[in-house]
Amino acid sequence: MNNDFPRIITFLRKERGLSQKQAAADLEISQALLSHYEKGIRECGLDFLIKVAEYYDVTTDYLLGRTLQRNNTSAPVSENAEESNSGKISGSMVNQINRKVISNSCSVVYDLLAQIGSKRLTNTVSNYLMCAHYEVFRLIYNSEKSNSQTMFSLDKNKFKHAASASMSLDLMLAEDIIEDEKIALALSPDILSGYFDKSASSLFSLIQFSERNIRNSLKK
């Protein structure tokens, strides 16, 4: 099928608090076969794909990792956004959904940082995230060439390279802090789902969407 399908059907089952045995019975297959599907050992047929989509009330595109939109009544995301009468992509619903995914995922990250309790790591991660927001904001700000640059101290022709370099250094520093302070936080999809509830769903969507974009970038 693809790399996303096994992970997504496993997540949906655990999100509902279903055992593998119960889900297999509801889907009218053996537990062993469902286990193979969830591990990616075997590929299912079209009939089963449709049955799973109906069982979890999601679209087949969602099951295949082609969209973050769970069902046809949900607001679309990114390239699935509907077009307005003017021919431009309507961004209002896209804005709301992406904001929620990023905001909830960020909350998970900071809750985990709070559990770890490392001030150095929290500051370094914060520097990285703030720099990412700075870079995106400045790109938008500079879309109008005549906008005043007085609010920035970095030259607009150099900030992109400087920001990227700073973020790379922050990631390296974060890795060093984790190693130096011997930080090891036991995590799994089950633990995340149980502790963070709905925020975990946003995090899983962010991972799915980001990895798909990364794979697409590598193909270019």
Coordinates of all heavy atoms in Angstrom, one line a residue, residues 115-146:
Q115 N 8.6 18.3 31.5 CA 8.9 17.1 32.2 C 10.4 16.8 32.3 O 10.8 16.3 33.3 CB 8.2 15.9 31.4 CG 6.7 15.8 31.5 CD 6.2 14.6 30.8 OE1 6.7 13.5 31.0 NE2 5.1 14.7 30.1
I116 N 11.1 17.2 31.3 CA 12.5 17.0 31.3 C 13.2 17.9 32.3 O 14.1 17.5 33.0 CB 13.1 17.2 29.9 CG1 12.7 16.1 28.9 CG2 14.7 17.3 29.9 CD1 13.0 16.4 27.5
G117 N 12.7 19.1 32.3 CA 13.2 20.1 33.4 C 14.5 20.7 33.1 O 15.2 21.2 34.0
S118 N 15.0 20.7 31.9 CA 16.3 21.3 31.5 C 16.1 22.7 31.0 O 15.6 22.9 29.9 CB 17.0 20.4 30.5 OG 18.2 21.1 30.0
K119 N 16.6 23.7 31.8 CA 16.5 25.1 31.3 C 17.3 25.3 30.1 O 16.8 26.0 29.2 CB 17.0 26.0 32.4 CG 16.8 27.5 32.1 CD 17.2 28.3 33.3 CE 17.1 29.8 33.0 NZ 17.5 30.7 34.1
R120 N 18.5 24.7 30.0 CA 19.3 24.9 28.8 C 18.6 24.4 27.5 O 18.6 25.0 26.5 CB 20.6 24.2 29.0 CG 21.6 24.8 30.0 CD 22.8 23.9 30.1 NE 23.6 23.9 28.9 CZ 24.3 22.8 28.5 NH1 24.4 21.8 29.3 NH2 25.0 22.9 27.4
L121 N 18.0 23.2 27.6 CA 17.3 22.6 26.5 C 16.1 23.4 26.1 O 15.9 23.6 24.9 CB 16.9 21.1 26.8 CG 16.3 20.4 25.6 CD1 17.2 20.3 24.4 CD2 15.9 19.0 26.1
T122 N 15.3 23.8 27.1 CA 14.1 24.6 26.8 C 14.5 25.9 26.1 O 13.9 26.3 25.1 CB 13.4 25.0 28.1 OG1 12.9 23.7 28.7 CG2 12.2 25.8 27.8
N123 N 15.6 26.6 26.6 CA 16.0 27.8 25.9 C 16.5 27.6 24.5 O 16.2 28.4 23.6 CB 17.1 28.5 26.8 CG 16.6 29.1 28.1 OD1 15.4 29.4 28.2 ND2 17.5 29.3 29.0
T124 N 17.2 26.5 24.3 CA 17.8 26.3 23.0 C 16.7 25.9 22.0 O 16.6 26.4 20.8 CB 18.8 25.1 23.0 OG1 19.8 25.4 24.0 CG2 19.4 24.8 21.7
V125 N 15.7 25.1 22.4 CA 14.5 24.8 21.6 C 13.7 26.0 21.3 O 13.3 26.3 20.1 CB 13.7 23.7 22.2 CG1 12.4 23.5 21.4 CG2 14.4 22.4 22.3
S126 N 13.6 26.9 22.3 CA 12.8 28.1 22.1 C 13.5 29.0 21.1 O 12.9 29.7 20.3 CB 12.6 28.8 23.4 OG 11.9 28.1 24.4
N127 N 14.8 29.1 21.2 CA 15.6 29.9 20.2 C 15.4 29.4 18.8 O 15.2 30.2 17.9 CB 17.1 29.9 20.6 CG 17.4 30.6 21.8 OD1 16.7 31.4 22.3 ND2 18.6 30.3 22.4
Y128 N 15.4 28.1 18.7 CA 15.2 27.5 17.3 C 13.8 27.9 16.8 O 13.7 28.3 15.6 CB 15.3 26.0 17.4 CG 15.1 25.3 16.1 CD1 16.1 25.1 15.2 CD2 13.8 24.8 15.8 CE1 15.8 24.4 14.0 CE2 13.5 24.2 14.6 CZ 14.6 24.0 13.7 OH 14.3 23.3 12.5
L129 N 12.8 27.7 17.6 CA 11.4 27.9 17.1 C 11.1 29.4 16.9 O 10.4 29.8 15.9 CB 10.4 27.4 18.2 CG 10.4 25.9 18.4 CD1 9.5 25.5 19.5 CD2 10.0 25.2 17.1
M130 N 11.7 30.3 17.8 CA 11.5 31.7 17.6 C 12.2 32.2 16.3 O 11.7 33.0 15.6 CB 12.0 32.5 18.8 CG 11.1 32.4 20.0 SD 11.5 33.5 21.3 CE 12.8 32.7 22.1
C131 N 13.3 31.6 16.0 CA 14.1 31.9 14.8 C 13.3 31.5 13.5 O 13.3 32.2 12.5 CB 15.5 31.3 14.8 SG 16.6 32.0 13.6
A132 N 12.6 30.3 13.6 CA 11.8 29.9 12.5 C 10.7 30.8 12.2 O 10.4 31.2 11.1 CB 11.3 28.5 12.8
H133 N 10.0 31.3 13.3 CA 8.9 32.2 13.2 C 9.4 33.6 12.6 O 8.8 34.2 11.8 CB 8.2 32.4 14.5 CG 7.3 31.3 14.8 ND1 7.7 30.1 15.4 CD2 5.9 31.3 14.7 CE1 6.6 29.4 15.6 NE2 5.5 30.0 15.2
Y134 N 10.6 34.0 13.1 CA 11.2 35.2 12.7 C 11.4 35.2 11.2 O 11.1 36.1 10.4 CB 12.5 35.5 13.4 CG 13.4 36.5 12.7 CD1 13.3 37.8 13.0 CD2 14.5 36.1 11.9 CE1 14.1 38.8 12.4 CE2 15.3 37.0 11.3 CZ 15.1 38.3 11.5 OH 16.0 39.3 10.9
E135 N 12.0 34.1 10.7 CA 12.4 33.9 9.3 C 11.1 34.0 8.4 O 11.1 34.7 7.4 CB 13.1 32.6 9.1 CG 13.7 32.5 7.7 CD 14.6 31.3 7.5 OE1 14.6 30.4 8.4 OE2 15.4 31.2 6.6
V136 N 10.1 33.3 8.8 CA 8.8 33.3 8.0 C 8.2 34.6 8.0 O 7.7 35.1 7.0 CB 7.8 32.2 8.6 CG1 6.5 32.3 7.9 CG2 8.4 30.8 8.4
F137 N 8.1 35.3 9.2 CA 7.5 36.6 9.3 C 8.2 37.6 8.4 O 7.6 38.4 7.7 CB 7.5 37.1 10.8 CG 7.1 38.6 10.8 CD1 5.8 39.0 10.7 CD2 8.1 39.6 11.0 CE1 5.4 40.3 10.7 CE2 7.7 40.9 11.1 CZ 6.4 41.3 11.0
R138 N 9.6 37.5 8.4 CA 10.3 38.5 7.7 C 10.1 38.3 6.2 O 10.1 39.2 5.4 CB 11.8 38.5 8.0 CG 12.5 39.7 7.5 CD 13.8 40.0 8.2 NE 14.4 41.2 7.6 CZ 15.5 41.8 8.0 NH1 16.2 41.2 9.0 NH2 16.0 42.9 7.4
L139 N 10.0 37.0 5.7 CA 9.7 36.8 4.3 C 8.4 37.4 3.9 O 8.3 38.0 2.8 CB 9.7 35.3 4.1 CG 11.0 34.5 4.0 CD1 10.8 33.0 4.0 CD2 11.8 35.0 2.8
I140 N 7.4 37.3 4.8 CA 6.1 37.9 4.5 C 6.2 39.4 4.5 O 5.6 40.1 3.6 CB 5.0 37.4 5.5 CG1 4.8 35.9 5.4 CG2 3.7 38.1 5.3 CD1 4.0 35.3 6.4
Y141 N 6.9 39.9 5.5 CA 7.0 41.4 5.6 C 7.7 42.0 4.4 O 7.4 43.0 3.9 CB 7.8 41.7 6.9 CG 7.9 43.1 7.2 CD1 7.0 43.7 8.1 CD2 9.0 43.9 6.8 CE1 7.1 45.1 8.4 CE2 9.1 45.2 7.1 CZ 8.1 45.8 7.9 OH 8.2 47.1 8.3
N142 N 8.7 41.2 3.9 CA 9.5 41.7 2.8 C 8.8 41.5 1.4 O 9.4 41.8 0.4 CB 10.9 41.1 2.7 CG 11.8 41.6 3.9 OD1 11.5 42.7 4.4 ND2 12.8 40.9 4.2
S143 N 7.6 40.9 1.4 CA 6.9 40.8 0.1 C 6.6 42.1 -0.5 O 6.5 42.2 -1.7 CB 5.6 40.0 0.4 OG 4.7 40.7 1.2
E144 N 6.4 43.1 0.3 CA 6.3 44.5 -0.2 C 7.7 45.2 0.0 O 8.1 45.4 1.1 CB 5.2 45.3 0.6 CG 5.1 46.7 0.3 CD 5.0 47.0 -1.2 OE1 4.0 46.6 -1.8 OE2 5.9 47.7 -1.7
K145 N 8.3 45.4 -1.2 CA 9.7 45.9 -1.2 C 9.8 47.3 -0.5 O 10.9 47.6 0.0 CB 10.2 46.0 -2.6 CG 10.1 44.7 -3.4 CD 10.8 43.6 -2.7 CE 10.7 42.3 -3.5 NZ 11.4 41.2 -2.9
S146 N 8.7 48.1 -0.4 CA 8.8 49.4 0.1 C 8.6 49.4 1.6 O 8.8 50.5 2.3 CB 7.8 50.3 -0.5 OG 6.5 49.9 -0.3

